[in-house]
């Protein structure tokens, strides 16, 4: 009997594939069940091998009647495993829909009649493009092969319409298109526009859907029944038939980076995928990341711009409000309250952007300075008024609100600082006749509640919108004329360089929500650092001016995108164990020409009872960094001293959280 050998990626945290044999011919990409240790485990065949000089075990069962992933897709997984230094089995399995992560389920290959679904020629579009849009569409439709292209379009310049025309062009050529978006649930507009145009050729894919619903979409995209996917980062590797274009909308958005487990960036994997199958990829944004702008500067990416808003209205003007020596009312300066009042009197809408939910971020005893802290995290408890609870925003633990100080027993407890709930209460008192809408994670837990609030806002002329960053993503508020940004100073004072970039992006994005009605909208930025150079750059409202000065600072300090970064994190119940492990690791890195900083406690230094510390590594080349980390991962895995076994360690490439 014939004996075939296969390498199999197995769902275990080990940095290798394993060789098994079978008397059956199996196409790589097919799922199998194999004995691993004492248990049956799920695996995916990654390649055929001609022979094995080691004793192999048989493949226990072939689960599917055909491959779930193509050869190219497997190639990209292999790249991702090397690039992110993450075990290949976990990489492959993480891109399987939940349904197929179970051994008991079978994938039945379904092939569609190729010409069954063809889009009609001369489709009607809702809008007539303006000249800038026409130019951009022509530019994109001419792209051949791998051509990463930045679509830089100021907010309201009509990027979605461009996506729609470019998708159409691909459909005409019988190609499919993958559109990635940061958080679909938060931006129903993109989905509804594309669906209006292309109906049931569109599928949605994100982690809030049920596993069954997701599997359905997965299968239909794979066999070509669905031609367009709009998905979040988990959709980046959906198997596709004849993929012709990838679009990454809001490419700068932090939610493309997965922060737990396999810490990949969907934006970066999307670029790799486009490169591997030699197709164009469009990165769209009004506030592109510095990394993308650097690639454009270096001529590795092309770029096309939309400089005007569709409405032709001028964008809002920024005004910076010094809040030193000002008595704030729930975080608002009197000048800001006056501006809100004027806006409401004109029967228009005002928005307060504050990145803090709950009533007040701190609960303190004024007698003994006791502060409510989480039992298992190093995090102040946030006072939530509606829930009548003190809540930890890291681990979601909730505690009752004491009336007397647990430390000195005095009844001198009070809350400090401002969150969305408090602003809502205060503004209701000041403006009792005005509708007030609050949008944050707490006000939108119910399915459909976000849509309801959004449509209420759009159906009323006047009112006050209060919200966290959830409010600033991609929405269109036609009557919004004033934005007050309440606590942006964290971005200015943070030691984390990406916090400043993010602050700039948020301010430009939040400004983009306003002034679609006429050209008189204003963004008031409250700050204690009114002379800060970066803030002053933003005042022009020109994002590219801001990034130019930020780039210079990054270059001077040799920070990304001028260098390449990674962190090595240690997590354990004992801080000293972390430090011991990281000091050993540091010795290893010191012997190379990479820079290493630390060990330092992570920004979230204690979560759910475990301490988090890390080293930050900077290298001048991507290959240098990758080689160092690969060697390091090997030696940590081999670990003769057993010191590395005492902590949970992980590597984060191109980290965005520290
Ligand atoms: P962006 O994503 O660039 O901020 P959108 O794609 O959301 O902009 O477009 C902003 C608004 O302008 C949307 O309501 C859209 O339907 C509308 N729009 C886009 N292009 C045109 C056009 N050529 N003519 C009329 N309206 C348009
Ligand atoms: Zn006290
Ligand atoms: Zn906690």
């Amino acid at each position: 009997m014939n004996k075939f050998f296969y390498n199999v990626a197995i769902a275990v945290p080990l940095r290798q594939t394993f060789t098994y044999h079978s008397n059956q011919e199996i196409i790589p990409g097919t799922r199998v069940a194999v004995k691993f240790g004492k248990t049956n485990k799920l695996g995916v065949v990654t390649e055929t091998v001609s022979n094995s000089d080691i004793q192999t075990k048989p493949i226990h069962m072939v689960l599917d009647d055909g491959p779930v992933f193509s050869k190219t897709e497997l190639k990209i997984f292999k790249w991702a495993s090397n690039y992110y230094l993450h075990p290949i089995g976990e990489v492959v399995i993480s891109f399987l829909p939940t349904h197929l992560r179970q051994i008991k389920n079978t994938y039945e290959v379904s092939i569609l009649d190729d010409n069954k679904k063809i889009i009609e020629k001369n489709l009607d579009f809702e809008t007539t493009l303006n000249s800038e849009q026409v130019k951009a569409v022509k530019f994109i439709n001419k792209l051949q092969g791998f051509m990463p292209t930045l679509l830089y379009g100021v907010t309201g310049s009509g990027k979605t319409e461009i996506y729609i025309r470019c998708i159409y062009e691909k459909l005409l050529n019988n190609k499919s298109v993958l559109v990635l978006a940061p958080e679909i649930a938060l931006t129903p507009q993109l989905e509804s526009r594309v669906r209006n145009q292309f109906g049931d050729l569109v599928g949605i894919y994100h982690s809030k859907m049920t596993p069954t619903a997701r599997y359905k979409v997965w299968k239909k995209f794979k066999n070509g029944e669905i031609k367009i996917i709009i998905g979040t980062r988990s959709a980046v590797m959906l198997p596709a038939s004849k993929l012709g274009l990838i679009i990454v909308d809001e490419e700068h958005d932090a939610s493309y980076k997965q922060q737990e487990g396999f810490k990949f960036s969907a934006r970066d994997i999307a670029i790799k995928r486009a490169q591997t199958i030699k197709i164009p990829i469009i990165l769209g944004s009004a506030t592109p990341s510095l990394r993308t702008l650097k690639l454009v500067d270096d001529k590795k990416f092309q770029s096309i711009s939309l400089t005007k808003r569709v409405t032709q209205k001028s964008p809002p003007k920024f005004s910076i409000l010094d809040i030193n020596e000002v008595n704030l009312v729930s975080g608002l300066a009197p000048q800001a309250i006056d501006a809100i009042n004027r806006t409401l009197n004109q029967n228009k809408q005002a928005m307060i952007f504050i990145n803090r939910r709950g009533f007040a971020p701190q609960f303190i005893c004024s007698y003994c300075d006791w502060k409510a802290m989480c039992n298992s995290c190093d995090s102040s408890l946030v006072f939530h008024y509606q829930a009548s609870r003190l809540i930890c925003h890291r681990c979601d633990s909730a505690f009752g609100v004491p009336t007397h100080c647990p430390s000195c027993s005095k009844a001198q407890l009070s809350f400090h600082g401002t969150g969305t709930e408090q602003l809502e209460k205060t503004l209701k008192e000041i403006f009792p006749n005005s509708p007030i809408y609050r949008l944050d994670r707490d006000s939108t837990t119910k399915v459909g509640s976000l849509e309801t609030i959004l449509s209420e806002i759009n159906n009323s002329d006047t009112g006050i919108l209060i919200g966290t960053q959830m409010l600033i993503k991609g929405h269109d508020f036609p009557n919004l004329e004033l934005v007050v940004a309440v606590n942006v100073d964290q971005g200015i004072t943070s030691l984390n360089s990406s916090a400043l970039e993010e602050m700039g992006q948020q301010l430009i994005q939040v400004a983009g929500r306003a002034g679609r009605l006429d050209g008189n909208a204003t963004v008031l930025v409250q700050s204690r650092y009114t002379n800060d150079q970066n803030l002053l750059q933003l005042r022009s409202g020109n994002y590219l001016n801001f990034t130019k000065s930020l780039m210079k600072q990054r270059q001077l300090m040799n920070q990304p995108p001028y260098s390449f970064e990674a962190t090595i994190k240690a997590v354990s119940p004992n801080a000293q164990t972390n430090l011991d492990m990281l000091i050993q690791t540091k010795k290893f890195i010191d012997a190379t020409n990479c820079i290493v900083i630390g060990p330092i406690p992570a920004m979230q230094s204690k979560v759910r009872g475990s301490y988090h510390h890390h080293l930050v590594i900077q290298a001048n080349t991507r290959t240098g960094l990758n080689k160092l980390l690969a060697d390091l991962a090997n030696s940590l895995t081999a670990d003769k001293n057993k010191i590395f076994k005492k902590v949970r360690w992980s590597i984060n490439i191109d980290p965005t959280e520290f």
Side-chain angles (χ1 to χ4, degrees), residues 290-526:
L290 295 191
R291 281 185 63 198
T292 297
L293 290 172
K294 171 92 171 22
L295 289 162
V296 172
D297 274 352
D298 294 346
K299 308 246 169 339
K300 290 185 177 139
F301 282 20
Q302 306 191 73
S303 143
I304 176 109
S305 307
L306 301 174
T307 58
K308 292 196 241 1
R309 294 179 141 201
V310 173
T311 56
Q312 305 276 347
K313 302 285 187 257
S314 43
K317 289 175 193 60
F318 278 82
S319 166
I320 297 172
L321 201 59
D322 187 345
I323 53 166
N324 290 298
E325 293 164 44
V326 170
N327 281 329
L328 301 177
V329 181
S330 288
L332 288 174
Q335 253 181 290
I337 298 178
D338 286 346
I340 298 171
N341 193 21
R342 279 196 304 277
T343 308
L344 296 175
N345 283 338
Q346 292 167 8
N347 216 25
K348 291 173 180 162
Q349 290 172 337
M351 174 198 283
I352 326 287
F353 167 51
I354 173 168
N355 237 341
R356 220 181 241 163
R357 66 194 170 88
F359 194 87
Q362 293 184 328
F363 195 70
I364 295 173
C365 168
S366 59
Y367 188 81
C368 77
D369 285 344
W370 172 86
K371 189 159 118 189
M373 298 287 293
C374 178
N375 287 343
S376 43
C377 309
D378 70 332
S379 164
S380 327
L381 295 176
V382 179
F383 174 55
H384 281 245
Y385 180 79
Q386 221 167 355
S388 245
R389 286 274 183 284
L390 294 165
I391 297 176
C392 172
H393 283 191
R394 293 217 182 126
C395 70
D396 290 328
S397 303
F399 305 84
V401 185
T403 51
H404 291 77
C405 173
S407 167
C408 73
S409 307
K410 297 254 178 343
Q412 295 192 19
L413 295 168
S414 56
F415 49 80
H416 288 252
T418 309
T420 48
E421 256 189 327
Q422 185 180 152
L423 267 170
E424 182 183 20
K425 185 165 175 282
T426 304
L427 289 168
K428 267 189 180 145
E429 282 159 18
I430 306 179
F431 302 105
N433 299 319
S434 173
I436 294 183
Y437 310 95
R438 192 183 102 220
L439 258 174
D440 56 27
R441 195 137 70 77
D442 304 310
S443 73
T444 54
T445 41
K446 264 200 233 127
V447 177
S449 55
L450 176 74
E451 285 80 353
T452 312
I453 303 177
L454 288 176
S455 83
E456 278 174 16
I457 295 172
N458 280 325
N459 291 330
S460 102
D461 324 315
T462 182
I464 306 174
L465 290 54
I466 302 164
T468 57
Q469 56 174 331
M470 172 183 271
L471 193 56
I472 69 173
K473 292 189 177 181
H475 306 293
D476 238 340
F477 300 117
N479 292 320
L480 185 66
E481 280 293 291
L482 171 72
V483 173
V484 182
V486 172
N487 65 42
V488 298
D489 284 349
Q490 286 162 329
I492 297 173
T493 54
S494 171
L495 294 174
N496 169 2
S497 62
S498 57
L500 186 56
E501 180 177 350
E502 199 170 345
M503 178 203 76
Q505 290 164 342
Q506 288 184 345
L507 282 181
I508 298 288
Q509 291 287 349
V510 76
R513 305 307 123 216
R516 308 220 171 175
L517 192 63
D518 58 37
N520 301 318
T522 311
V523 180
L524 280 182
V525 183
Q526 295 192 168

Side-chain angles (χ1 to χ4, degrees), residues 250-287:
E250 311 293 358
E251 68 89 26
H252 64 278
D253 198 289
S255 63
Y256 282 123
K257 180 82 197 257
Q258 175 138 312
Q259 302 291 0
E260 301 288 325
F262 173 34
K263 301 179 185 66
F264 68 97
S265 152
R267 167 195 171 279
D268 293 351
I269 293 190
I271 294 170
K272 189 66 197 181
R273 187 169 187 190
Q275 183 186 34
T276 311
I277 49 181
K278 303 186 181 67
I279 58 168
I281 176 166
I282 307 300
L283 306 174
S285 179
T287 53

Side-chain angles (χ1 to χ4, degrees), residues 127-130 133 153-161 193 250 306 310 474 476 513 516:
T127 51
T128 314
L129 300 186
N130 62 33
Q133 287 174 314
V154 299
T155 50
S157 58
K159 289 184 288 293
T160 313
E161 290 305 314
R193 263 308 280 126
E250 311 293 358
L306 301 174
V310 173
D476 238 340
R513 305 307 123 216
R516 308 220 171 175

Side-chain angles (χ1 to χ4, degrees), residues 38-158:
K38 288 200 173 74
T39 51
N40 260 336
K41 289 242 177 234
L42 178 71
V44 173
V45 172
T46 57
E47 63 207 328
T48 317
V49 278
S50 50
N51 223 321
S52 175
D53 41 21
I54 53 164
Q55 183 70 25
T56 56
K57 283 189 236 164
I59 284 176
H60 180 65
M61 201 162 46
V62 180
L63 303 176
D64 307 321
D65 64 6
V68 293
F69 292 121
S70 70
K71 273 206 173 117
T72 341
E73 285 150 8
L74 292 171
K75 200 165 145 189
I76 298 163
F77 295 145
K78 198 164 167 187
W79 169 83
S81 167
N82 288 330
Y83 184 90
Y84 293 106
L85 281 308
H86 199 83
I88 178 77
E90 291 187 351
V91 170
V92 177
I93 307 300
S94 74
F95 287 115
L96 277 174
T98 322
H99 182 83
L100 293 183
R101 287 183 202 172
Q102 287 162 339
I103 289 178
K104 66 177 199 295
N105 294 326
T106 297
Y107 163 67
E108 283 150 20
V109 178
S110 64
I111 295 166
L112 204 71
D113 172 7
D114 209 32
N115 292 320
K116 215 166 162 187
K117 289 258 177 183
I118 287 191
I119 190 87
E120 63 182 276
K121 298 234 162 70
N122 306 318
L123 195 69
D124 276 336
F125 294 103
E126 258 176 34
T127 51
T128 314
L129 300 186
N130 62 33
S131 60
E132 272 194 333
Q133 287 174 314
V134 171
K135 208 172 131 207
V137 170
K138 274 198 186 137
F139 183 93
I140 295 168
N141 283 345
K142 263 202 226 127
L143 299 173
Q144 299 263 339
F146 175 57
M147 270 300 158
T149 301
L150 166 66
L151 174 63
Y152 167 65
V154 299
T155 50
S157 58

